[in-house]
């Protein structure tokens, strides 16, 4: 039942990538989503982890474009890690969302994802605890999935009655009709309600308007119901259920074999010939087909057609012998390392049905008998781990090569900037001294104008000509001294009138000139700001130039050593994982070999018996 519940869980509708529907404001988050939609989850994680780390290091995160999506981004990290089967890290990320200040719908969706992680890790108690944290608003797109998961958790916990109650409410859930109908039948069966369970499986086996996954579940419902009826020796009903299974589908071979044995058990041997003959013509590496190759002549023998039976038994001996050779070749090929080489072939993995295609590729004999094994969850998980390690190895090898390119770029930058920086520094020093002078002058003018607000000083606003004139008049007055002749008195009076005239000009135009001085100071401020901007731009450009080639040597060397070390560890892990896969594959082939040998021996004895019976029948016919 553990396997059964896993198969049911595998039918859960996949939730869309978080945040896909909201307006995207951060292009790097969008890039991560782009990779995730292509199922390149490692690339998505690499991009989003980097973006989040940069976001949390900036001084003002609220000005960063990721600020609008940071909650979704944290959630997506867990989602991507879950798709990459990093359950521990995904669980931590989703727990962080649960404990954070997020919207109720987001928290409920996170609880659902966490529950699904626990369920996939065979931790139904923890899964149920996570589901019980869901309350309030549940997003419509996952509401049915939440209840379907709850029912599966109840089944895993051995609480089929509660699972049945939940599943009854999901019979019309769009996309889950076939899964919920089949699961309800299983829940009722586990709850001891056999009659209701068989009726429910019958309903599940007659559902219409299903997609391919739903059709497969409908076939499974019919197959399970047929197998149960066959065990209870209700052969007629078993035949009816098994004949509803599609002729092309994942359960067709087993259904045909079950239908054949149902007819044989009912001693309706002529009708048994139809499904068994049909099945015997199919892919011979399938276990059901091999059993049908042996069952077909048995049905003929029970019809007393011993000649035909002997002929088919003889063919069976030959077929099983060929298959034994094929199994031996597969075992040798695996031990020579070709199995792992076949698994990592890019042209095969580009097709999503690559596991199915492996059996049809003549150049991969080591995989002929492993399609069933490779379709199992445990082997798929182990295989996917190996393939992920291979992807990671290729990525590390690519990074190793990239270090040479980085060093070349840095050398090119060093050769370009080093000769021109001294001249740039000289120009910068000149500019720096000019800027400092203008800033000091501007500060002096500003201080003087501020002081004139409380203590007016018209002489500070005199023009250069006026200052020269005043100085000249005062110098002339000083030369005249205290002489009191009429001519000198007239000159002194004239000088005083001229100075008075200048003072009158300064006093009467003081406010006008004071306003003009402030306007000139504002204009000067704009110039100073422009100069400071140029100064900062130059400083940044120079720092950028320096930072583009200085300080990378040690960092690259450290990363090169780190990648090299990780690559060595990775190769050890790949060797261990590959050895485990090969050992499991060889064990599976050994089992198939033992079964083929048993079939071959049985066919040999049956051939001798049928041949003897056919000979005696022919002799009796000749004598008669």
């Amino acid at each position: 039942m553990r396997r059964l519940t896993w198969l049911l869980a595998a039918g859960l509708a996949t939730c869309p990538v978080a945040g896909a529907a909201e307006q995207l404001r951060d292009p790097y988050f969008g890039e991560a989503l782009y990779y995730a939609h292509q199922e390149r989850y490692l690339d998505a994680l690499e991009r989003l982890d980097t973006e989040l780390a940069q976001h949390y290091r900036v001084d003002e995160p609220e000005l960063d474009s990721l600020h609008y999506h940071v909650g979704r981004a944290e959630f997506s990290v867990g989602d991507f890690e879950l798709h990459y089967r990093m359950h521990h890290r995904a669980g931590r990320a989703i727990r962080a969302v649960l404990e954070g200040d997020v919207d109720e719908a987001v928290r409920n969706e996170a609880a659902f994802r966490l529950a699904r992680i626990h369920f996939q890790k065979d931790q139904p108690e923890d899964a149920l605890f996570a589901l019980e944290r869901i309350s309030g608003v549940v997003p419509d797109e996952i509401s049915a999935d939440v209840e379907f998961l709850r029912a599966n958790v109840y089944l895993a916990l051995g609480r089929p009655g509660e699972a049945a109650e939940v599943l009854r409410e999901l019979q019309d859930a769009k996309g889950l009709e076939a899964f919920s109908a089949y699961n309800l039948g299983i829940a009722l069966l586990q709850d001891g309600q056999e009659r209701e369970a068989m009726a429910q499986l019958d309903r599940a086996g007659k559902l219409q308007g299903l997609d391919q996954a739903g059709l497969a579940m409908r076939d499974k419902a019919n197959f399970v119901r047929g197998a149960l009826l066959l065990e209870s020796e209700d052969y007629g009903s078993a035949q009816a259920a098994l004949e509803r299974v599609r002729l092309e589908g994942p359960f067709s071979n087993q259904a045909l074999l079950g239908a054949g044995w149902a007819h044989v058990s009912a001693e309706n041997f002529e009708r048994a010939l139809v499904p068994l003959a049909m099945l015997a013509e199919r892919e011979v590496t399938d276990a059901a087909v091999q059993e049908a190759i042996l069952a077909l002549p048995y049905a003929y023998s029970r019809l007393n057609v011993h000649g035909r039976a002997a002929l088919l038994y003889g063919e069976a001996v030959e077929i099983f012998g060929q298959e034994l050779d094929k199994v031996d070749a597969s075992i040798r090929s695996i031990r020579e390392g070709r199995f792992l080489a076949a698994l990592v072939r890019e042209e095969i993995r580009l097709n999503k049905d690559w596991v199915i295609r492996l059996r049809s590729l003549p150049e991969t004999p080591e995989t002929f008998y492993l399609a069933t094994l490779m379709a199992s969850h445990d082997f798929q998980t182990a295989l996917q781990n190996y393939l992920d390690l291979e992807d990671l190895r290729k990525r590390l090898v690519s990074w190793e090569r990239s270090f040479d390119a980085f060093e070349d770029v840095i050398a090119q930058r060093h050769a370009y900037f080093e000769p021109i920086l001294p001249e740039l520094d000289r120009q910068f020093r000149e500019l720096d001294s000019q800027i400092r002078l203008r800033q000091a002058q501007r500060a002096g003018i500003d201080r003087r104008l501020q002081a004139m607000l409380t203590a007016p000083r018209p002489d500070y606003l005199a023009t250069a000509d006026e200052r020269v004139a005043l100085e000249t008049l005062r110098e002339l007055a000083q030369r005249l001294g205290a002489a009191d002749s009429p001519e000198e008195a007239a000159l002194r009076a004239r000088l005083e009138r001229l100075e008075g005239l200048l003072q009158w000009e300064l006093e009467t135009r003081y406010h006008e000139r004071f306003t003009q001085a402030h306007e000139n100071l504002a204009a000067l401020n704009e110039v100073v700001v422009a100069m400071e901007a140029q100064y900062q731009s130059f400083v940044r450009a120079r720092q950028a130039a320096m930072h583009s080639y200085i300080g990378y040597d040690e960092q690259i060397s450290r990363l090169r050593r780190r990648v090299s070390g990780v690559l060595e560890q990775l190769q050890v892990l790949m060797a261990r994982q590959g050895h485990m896969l090969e050992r499991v594959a060889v064990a599976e082939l050994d089992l198939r070999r033992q079964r083929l040998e048993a079939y071959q021996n049985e066919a040999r004895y049956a051939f001798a018996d049928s041949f003897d019976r056919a000979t005696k029948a022919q002799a009796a016919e000749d004598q008669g």
Side-chain angles (χ1 to χ4, degrees):
M1 186 48 65
R2 201 61 93 178
R3 180 166 175 253
L4 173 64
T5 52
W6 163 249
L7 288 172
L8 302 179
L12 282 169
T14 304
C15 293
V17 175
E22 64 186 55
Q23 183 181 3
L24 192 62
R25 299 191 181 186
D26 186 89
Y28 300 105
F29 182 43
E31 185 183 1
L33 293 176
Y34 170 77
Y35 288 134
H37 280 298
Q38 298 179 76
E39 300 183 358
R40 295 168 57 184
Y41 295 109
L42 183 58
D43 293 320
L45 279 172
E46 179 186 350
R47 193 74 204 89
L48 195 51
D49 274 342
T50 304
E51 180 64 7
L52 279 169
Q54 291 179 349
H55 172 75
Y56 289 123
R57 282 203 299 266
V58 299
D59 295 333
E60 297 177 290
E62 64 276 8
L63 299 181
D64 186 18
S65 56
L66 188 63
H67 171 71
Y68 302 100
H69 313 289
V70 66
R72 280 289 179 186
E74 292 283 6
F75 188 90
S76 296
V77 168
D79 192 46
F80 299 160
E81 289 170 341
L82 178 60
H83 279 89
Y84 201 60
R85 300 183 327 288
M86 298 164 65
H87 291 165
H88 291 292
R89 286 193 52 175
R92 286 198 297 271
I94 293 177
R95 284 191 197 93
V97 174
L98 282 172
E99 295 166 1
D101 182 18
V102 297
D103 184 71
E104 188 176 62
V106 175
R107 182 182 295 106
N108 286 335
E109 188 173 350
F112 165 64
R113 300 291 181 91
L114 184 61
R116 195 166 62 177
I117 291 173
H118 287 308
F119 185 74
Q120 291 175 351
K121 291 167 66 179
D122 202 14
Q123 298 169 344
E125 294 87 358
D126 296 332
L128 186 59
F129 179 73
L131 286 172
E132 288 173 347
R133 298 179 67 171
I134 297 176
S135 62
V137 178
V138 179
D140 292 339
E141 61 269 22
I142 65 167
S143 59
D145 290 338
V146 169
E147 296 307 309
F148 187 63
L149 178 60
R150 191 189 306 278
N152 287 335
V153 171
Y154 282 144
L155 282 172
L157 291 171
R159 296 159 61 177
E162 293 170 83
E165 291 301 319
V166 176
L167 289 167
R168 282 194 178 93
E169 302 297 325
L170 293 175
Q171 294 305 296
D172 296 325
K174 187 173 179 56
L176 293 175
E177 302 95 332
F179 296 95
S180 58
Y182 175 76
N183 278 17
L184 178 56
I186 298 301
L188 293 171
L189 195 64
Q190 289 185 1
D191 200 35
Q193 305 178 50
E194 294 185 5
R195 179 178 297 179
E196 292 81 359
M198 296 301 286
Q200 177 59 33
L201 287 175
D202 186 50
R203 283 194 291 273
K206 294 178 180 177
L207 289 174
Q208 300 295 325
L210 302 174
D211 57 11
Q212 286 300 316
L215 291 173
M217 290 306 298
R218 188 181 69 182
D219 288 344
K220 188 173 184 178
N222 285 317
F223 173 71
V224 171
R225 184 171 184 273
L228 292 171
L229 290 170
L230 192 59
E231 287 180 3
S232 61
E233 299 182 355
D234 185 356
Y235 303 124
S237 300
Q239 292 161 12
L242 292 170
E243 287 172 358
R244 285 208 298 259
V245 178
R246 294 172 301 158
L247 289 177
E248 297 297 333
F251 299 98
S252 61
N253 287 356
Q254 293 171 295
L256 285 171
L257 183 63
W261 282 122
H263 288 301
V264 169
S265 299
E267 297 189 351
N268 192 354
F269 300 110
E270 289 188 8
R271 297 195 64 179
L273 294 177
V274 177
L276 292 177
M278 185 182 298
L279 182 57
E281 297 295 325
R282 295 194 173 188
E283 170 58 46
V284 71
T285 57
D286 189 277
V289 175
Q290 292 172 355
E291 188 174 340
I293 290 173
L294 203 56
L296 181 60
Y298 172 76
Y300 274 113
S301 69
R302 295 302 304 270
L303 290 170
N304 294 323
V305 187
H306 297 296
R308 177 65 177 165
L311 180 63
L312 290 175
Y313 276 129
E315 291 177 357
V317 171
E318 185 177 350
I319 290 172
F320 292 144
Q322 293 171 354
E323 294 307 306
L324 280 170
D325 293 339
K326 195 181 292 183
V327 170
D328 290 338
S330 296
I331 293 174
R332 285 196 303 273
S333 180
I334 290 173
R335 287 174 175 160
E336 291 170 358
R338 297 179 189 171
F339 176 57
L340 297 177
L343 294 180
V344 298
R345 286 170 54 176
E346 287 293 336
E347 66 271 24
I348 293 177
R349 294 169 57 195
L350 289 175
N351 190 318
K352 65 179 182 180
D353 298 326
W354 65 277
V355 172
I356 300 173
R357 289 189 61 220
L358 279 174
R359 189 161 57 181
S360 63
L361 295 176
E363 64 271 29
T364 57
E366 58 280 351
T367 63
F368 289 168
Y369 272 87
L370 298 177
T372 303
L373 175 67
M374 287 194 286
S376 67
H377 172 66
D378 292 341
F379 191 83
Q380 269 292 306
T381 302
L383 175 59
Q384 196 58 50
N385 286 339
Y386 182 81
L387 297 179
D388 288 343
L389 289 173
E390 170 64 13
D391 287 340
L392 195 55
R393 187 194 65 79
K394 290 179 179 176
R395 196 178 294 263
L396 289 172
V397 170
S398 172
W399 288 352
E400 262 192 336
R401 287 197 294 266
S402 298
F403 290 138
D404 296 335
F406 287 141
E407 288 175 337
D408 184 56
V409 169
I410 290 168
Q412 293 285 340
R413 288 176 177 174
H414 184 275
Y416 174 76
F417 284 114
E418 279 298 315
I420 64 174
L421 279 179
E423 174 60 20
L424 288 176
D425 287 342
R426 188 189 63 76
Q427 295 178 10
F428 174 71
R429 285 192 293 272
E430 292 180 0
L431 176 64
D432 182 57
S433 61
Q434 292 177 3
I435 289 176
R436 290 179 187 278
L437 176 62
R438 295 295 178 264
Q439 286 175 331
Q441 291 174 341
R442 184 257 172 213
I445 294 171
D446 185 52
R447 282 195 303 272
R448 182 170 289 183
L449 289 177
Q450 291 297 325
M452 289 166 65
L453 289 173
T454 54
R457 292 291 302 272
D459 54 317
Y460 285 174
L461 300 179
T463 64
D465 292 339
E466 288 170 342
R467 279 199 201 92
V468 171
L470 279 173
E471 289 296 327
T472 304
L473 290 173
R474 287 168 183 165
E475 184 180 351
L476 291 174
Q478 192 174 10
R479 285 182 185 177
L480 287 176
D484 55 356
S485 64
E487 293 80 5
E488 291 170 336
L491 285 173
R492 187 177 297 109
R494 190 174 179 181
L495 289 174
E496 290 174 351
R497 282 198 300 274
L498 288 174
E499 185 175 355
L501 181 62
L502 286 174
Q503 289 294 343
W504 171 265
E505 181 73 11
L506 291 176
E507 293 288 345
T508 56
R509 297 189 60 192
Y510 174 73
H511 294 292
E512 178 187 350
R513 292 188 176 190
F514 190 70
T515 302
Q516 183 63 44
H518 271 284
E519 292 176 355
N520 292 340
L521 180 63
L524 180 59
N525 286 338
E526 294 178 1
V527 175
V528 170
V529 168
M531 292 176 66
E532 288 176 346
Q534 289 181 351
Y535 179 90
Q536 294 298 330
S537 175
F538 183 88
V539 170
R540 286 195 296 270
R542 193 187 188 288
Q543 288 178 341
M546 295 289 291
H547 291 166
S548 68
Y549 67 92
I550 292 178
Y552 292 98
D553 295 343
E554 177 59 29
Q555 191 174 359
I556 290 178
S557 298
R558 187 172 63 252
L559 288 174
R560 193 192 292 277
R561 290 194 298 272
R562 187 177 173 186
V563 168
S564 178
V566 172
L567 198 53
E568 290 179 5
Q569 294 177 5
L570 191 67
Q571 288 168 343
V572 173
L573 285 176
M574 284 191 68
R576 290 178 181 172
Q577 188 74 10
H579 179 65
M580 186 197 73
L581 290 172
E582 290 176 339
R583 196 173 49 185
V584 172
V586 170
E588 171 69 14
L589 290 174
D590 282 337
L591 287 176
R592 297 300 302 270
R593 194 181 195 291
Q594 293 171 15
R595 189 179 302 168
L596 282 169
E597 285 180 333
Y599 284 163
Q600 191 179 40
N601 290 334
E602 189 175 343
R604 281 199 183 100
Y605 290 125
F607 168 75
D609 181 68
S610 295
F611 184 78
D612 184 54
R613 290 175 185 270
T615 304
K616 288 179 180 177
Q618 184 64 42
E621 186 177 338
D622 293 342
Q623 289 176 0

